[in-house]
Amino acid sequence: MMIGLVLAAMIGSGPLAGTIPVQARPLPSYNPATSADLGTIRRDVRKGREEGSLSRRQARELRRESREVAMLEERYAAGGLSTAEQAELKARIEVLRALTRGKRLGTIK
């Protein structure tokens, strides 16, 4: 307890005050195309639900997968997206797009 008080007094006054540089945290590098693609897929799901070409269950599953891709992108972007991470996101979006299209057309159950 005494050490904490001494350190606080030393840091709060004297030559050390204000000399510790604050490091800027890198901003996440989101891919705007990913967000746009997910938005398009979500609109397709909503349209499919409104038109009756998607069941409530199918729409829920597609929305859940869309959220998972968005969360994965957010997690990856925290340290900057690598080429492999970008490729994985792109592949998952293409699969989700194909599933959405297939389910709306009735070719995938």
Side-chain angles (χ1 to χ4, degrees):
M1 178 128 155
M2 185 63 152
I3 294 173
L5 291 173
V6 171
L7 285 175
M10 287 175 59
I11 291 172
S13 63
L16 294 178
T19 60
I20 299 173
V22 176
Q23 292 184 2
R25 205 170 124 214
L27 295 174
S29 55
Y30 290 102
N31 184 351
T34 301
S35 298
D37 287 339
L38 288 174
T40 301
I41 291 168
R42 289 181 187 127
R43 280 189 298 278
D44 288 347
V45 170
R46 189 172 43 252
K47 279 171 96 176
R49 187 66 193 118
E50 290 169 356
E51 295 169 352
S53 58
L54 288 175
S55 69
R56 185 178 292 171
R57 180 179 176 197
Q58 289 172 321
R60 189 177 328 120
E61 289 170 355
L62 292 167
R63 281 190 216 104
R64 184 179 305 126
E65 181 62 27
S66 173
R67 282 191 304 272
E68 286 180 19
V69 173
M71 287 188 305
L72 185 62
E73 180 193 23
E74 193 174 312
R75 190 170 43 230
Y76 284 166
L81 291 172
S82 71
T83 304
E85 291 167 340
Q86 289 174 347
E88 180 182 353
L89 288 170
K90 185 176 179 179
R92 288 187 68 160
I93 287 171
E94 289 306 314
V95 168
L96 183 57
R97 187 187 328 272
L99 276 173
T100 302
R101 188 176 303 125
K103 288 185 179 194
R104 282 188 71 189
L105 295 173
T107 56
I108 299 175
K109 296 291 177 188

